[in-house]
Amino acid sequence: MDWAFIEEALPPLLRGAVATVWVSLAAIALGFAAGALIAAASTAGSRGLRGAAALYISFFRGVPLLVQLLLAYYALPFAGIDIPAIIAAVGTLGLCCAAYMAEILRGGLATVPPGAVEAARLLGLTRAQTFLRIRLPIAARTMRPAIVGEAIMIMKASSLISLVGIMELTRTSQALASSTFMPLQSYALCGAIYLVINFVLMAIGWDRKRA
Amino acid sequence: MTTPFLVAEKLERRVGDTQILAGIDLSVNKGEVVGLIGPSGSGKSSLLRAIAGLDPLTGGRVLVEGRTPVPGDGTVGMVFQQFNLWPHLTAGENVALALRLVRKMTRVEATERARAMLDRVGLLKLADRRPAQLSGGQQQRVAIARTLAMEPRLILFDEPTASLDPELTTEVLDVIRGLAETGMTMLVVSHEMGFVASVSTRAVFLDHGRVLVEGPAKAVFRDAEEPRLRRFLATYLQRVAWAPDPEPAPAPDPGPLTTFALLQQPGAAEAVPPPAGPEGSTMSLLGLPAASPAAPSGFSLLDPVPDPNQKDPKRGA
Ligand SMILES: Nc1ncnc2c1ncn2[C@@H]1O[C@H](COP(=O)(O)OP(=O)(O)O)[C@@H](O)[C@H]1O
Ligand SMILES: [Mg+2]
């Protein structure tokens, strides 16, 4: 790999990487928020809510992400919903992430001591306040490694949205490979950039106390 | 006729085949401190939880000032054996959170009031520590401050010192004693018999979900003849004091002022006659011969208890 190639390839690849990072962060944020709602539903008193949460989780975990993306790509316009492809892609990625986040959160919430919740109840906190201010933060302490793992999965899974035409890192390297006739170098550089991004995530998730 | 502050009528709680509360009647006047004692599994926690409205009843009702308390309505505060502090928040934030979210105080107001409450339990300096950085006794005092901050009408203590090392119980019992002196209405479940005897206006002995003995602390601890209660007290004393031994006890050690210390106060050893039988001996260890109204000189479980840590004048103010 020579410097001339790197100099030519790096600027477009970095632009693609920025797109990948934004798309993934948006999907992770959506996944966490929606996952928290689904986790709340799956531990709710109502049978209907619990059933809906179980259905959601099994659909998004049971159908390949690529199939979900293609469904969104073709089904939404068919249903008369006209939204930009990028929104559909981020939405699908986020909703899929939510199913995994919900499972992580459900496990984490189960470790919250019931006494902490009971104290909140007696002091007059509402259910929503107790969830956001007590249960979620206490659970977050045990869930951090799993959440970082899920964030890394999403960062990598976002390469699939290249197939519905989003110009992110993988798609940019494909374009580069065909325009330069240097596929090996293009994909090697692309892989290295994914690795760097995920190293940053791993560093964020690194728990000094556990190491 | 004035209705009592707290009325519990025919409280029943049954889970499956287990009768946890089997028809408990209890009434408590404003400012009273009621000590609840009883063997493990007798329903003490269940009774407190029923009064707080935490567990559903299968019969009877609870009225505090004429209304059935609902958790979170501000009527009943509860202090738990396991403290139940929120581990992700500092001591100050533990006290301030409900003030902000429930009382709708501003952050500044809530912080100020939290500091005042922590000061009252002697922990102002530790307001910025997380629970994990506090001793058990300190954690329990934060939990008490958190409860006090919301100004409940009634406070329930469920074995507040049972998970503390013996040397940490005194600081917590002192705070509770200080509260009793302010006229707070309280129900206290505790195995610290000396504390219960000295702080309670009334004692209640529970067994198998029923009230077996109830009356002024003196009567319950000294005069009651109910065999289960006598056996319960005897077992307690054997565990907390010493095994029956005709030799004089070793020199007393000015330790924390628990029942243990009461039993070891100077003169205690001389006051203890050789045991006559399992129950007689432990009753006389208490210095409370069941039949005789005159306790031996030297010490008594029922004597007013001097406060060994009188250095904090704000406590209980
Ligand atoms: N949710 C429950 N389901 C079934 N049994 C229970 C439940 N809670 C408490 N018990 C039983 O009720 C009895 C009284 O318990 P508890 O009130 O905790 O007693 P104490 O506090 O006096 O030790 C015990 O026998 C206990 O096993
Ligand atoms: Mg109990």
Side-chain angles (χ1 to χ4, degrees):
Chain A
M1 201 186 295
D2 55 55
W3 278 111
F5 172 76
I6 293 180
E7 262 187 74
E8 184 195 342
L10 214 49
L13 282 180
L14 287 180
R15 274 195 298 279
V18 168
T20 284
V21 167
W22 277 119
V23 161
S24 304
L25 288 183
I28 291 162
L30 173 62
F32 188 83
L37 287 178
I38 296 160
S42 71
T43 55
S46 146
R47 208 175 267 260
L49 275 177
R50 285 206 307 269
L55 207 64
Y56 182 98
I57 291 171
S58 39
F59 173 80
F60 280 97
R61 294 212 306 178
V63 175
L65 178 57
L66 181 54
V67 176
Q68 292 170 27
L69 285 163
L70 293 170
L71 274 173
Y73 191 69
Y74 290 110
L76 287 179
F78 185 75
I81 301 169
D82 186 20
I83 51 173
I86 178 79
I87 304 286
V90 170
T92 309
L93 203 54
L95 293 181
C96 177
C97 175
Y100 292 89
M101 286 288 192
E103 288 291 275
I104 294 171
L105 283 160
R106 200 165 61 145
L109 290 172
T111 68
V112 175
V117 176
E118 219 154 58
R121 188 174 163 210
L122 272 174
L123 290 167
L125 273 70
T126 63
R127 276 166 176 275
Q129 287 169 338
T130 304
F131 185 76
L132 290 174
R133 310 303 289 261
I134 307 295
R135 295 173 64 207
L136 209 50
I138 295 177
R141 288 143 57 97
T142 56
M143 296 182 313
R144 200 165 68 153
I147 288 178
V148 169
E150 176 60 19
I152 290 170
M153 289 306 296
I154 290 296
M155 200 61 78
K156 294 185 291 180
S158 72
S159 66
L160 287 174
I161 68 171
S162 62
L163 286 154
V164 292
I166 311 296
M167 209 53 184
E168 42 64 77
L169 180 52
T170 300
R171 174 99 182 196
T172 307
S173 60
Q174 284 173 324
L176 199 68
S178 53
S179 69
T180 61
F181 302 104
M182 298 178 91
L184 186 59
Q185 292 86 336
S186 299
Y187 292 129
L189 215 48
C190 166
I193 295 174
Y194 274 113
L195 202 55
V196 168
I197 295 171
N198 285 329
F199 267 134
V200 172
L201 281 181
M202 284 178 227
I204 293 171
W206 184 258
D207 193 337
R208 245 165 282 136
K209 278 182 226 128
R210 274 167 208 248
Chain B
M1 170 191 133
T2 58
T3 46
F5 184 76
L6 161 72
V7 187
E9 281 173 6
K10 302 194 173 57
L11 298 191
E12 266 193 50
R13 177 162 154 78
R14 163 187 286 281
V15 177
D17 287 341
T18 320
Q19 187 84 42
I20 297 170
L21 299 176
I24 288 188
D25 287 298
L26 185 68
S27 62
V28 178
N29 290 317
K30 190 157 172 42
E32 256 197 299
V33 179
V34 175
L36 287 173
I37 57 172
S40 172
S42 57
K44 305 180 297 295
S45 299
S46 302
L47 175 57
L48 293 190
R49 294 175 60 81
I51 291 171
L54 284 175
D55 290 338
L57 289 168
T58 46
R61 62 173 184 167
V62 175
L63 294 175
V64 176
E65 296 182 308
R67 289 182 310 117
T68 297
V70 178
D73 67 2
T75 312
V76 180
M78 193 158 173
V79 174
F80 303 86
Q81 179 177 347
Q82 299 302 333
F83 327 136
N84 294 349
L85 291 180
W86 300 313
H88 60 300
L89 300 179
T90 64
E93 290 165 344
N94 263 277
V95 181
L97 188 68
L99 294 172
R100 280 174 51 209
L101 298 182
V102 181
R103 286 292 170 81
K104 308 292 179 200
M105 285 187 185
T106 64
R107 186 180 291 268
V108 173
E109 287 168 342
T111 306
E112 198 164 302
R113 180 160 169 79
R115 291 173 62 83
M117 289 298 137
L118 287 175
D119 194 20
R120 195 166 152 183
V121 298
L123 290 177
L124 184 53
K125 287 206 191 90
L126 304 182
D128 294 326
R129 292 219 193 156
R130 298 266 172 101
Q133 302 166 310
L134 297 171
S135 74
Q138 291 166 342
Q139 289 185 56
Q140 190 61 294
R141 283 146 69 198
V142 174
I144 293 172
R146 180 175 71 175
T147 298
L148 282 180
M150 299 299 282
E151 300 176 303
R153 309 287 294 147
L154 166 73
I155 302 185
L156 313 176
F157 290 87
D158 192 1
E159 305 204 26
T161 61
S163 50
L164 299 180
D165 291 336
E167 71 270 22
L168 299 180
T169 59
T170 316
E171 64 189 50
V172 172
L173 296 183
D174 283 347
V175 168
I176 300 173
R177 193 187 303 280
L179 265 180
E181 283 159 9
T182 67
M184 176 63 82
T185 314
M186 314 197 289
L187 265 62
V188 184
V189 171
S190 178
H191 288 290
E192 299 288 336
M193 294 303 159
F195 174 75
V196 172
S198 67
V199 84
S200 306
T201 49
R202 201 142 53 90
V204 173
F205 175 65
L206 288 186
D207 196 34
H208 292 108
R210 289 172 205 282
V211 174
L212 273 200
V213 182
E214 180 188 352
K218 252 189 222 310
V220 170
F221 279 92
R222 185 168 59 194
D223 304 331
E225 294 185 355
E226 159 60 45
R228 282 181 195 275
L229 171 56
R230 304 255 333 238
R231 210 175 312 135
F232 171 72
L233 289 174
T235 311
Y236 167 75
L237 281 170
Q238 276 172 356
R239 187 164 47 80
V240 86
W242 54 77
D245 182 355
E247 299 299 318
D253 149 14
L257 201 66
T258 58
T259 313
F260 191 86
L262 283 175
L263 292 167
Q264 294 200 335
Q265 275 175 11
E270 296 83 61
V272 179
E279 279 180 9
S281 68
T282 44
M283 282 302 117
S284 40
L285 284 180
L286 260 180
L288 306 172
S292 149
S297 64
F299 75 108
S300 161
L301 200 53
L302 301 174
D303 282 343
V305 178
D307 186 341
N309 295 356
Q310 205 81 60
K311 36 188 181 275
D312 184 358
K314 288 185 211 78
R315 192 188 328 107

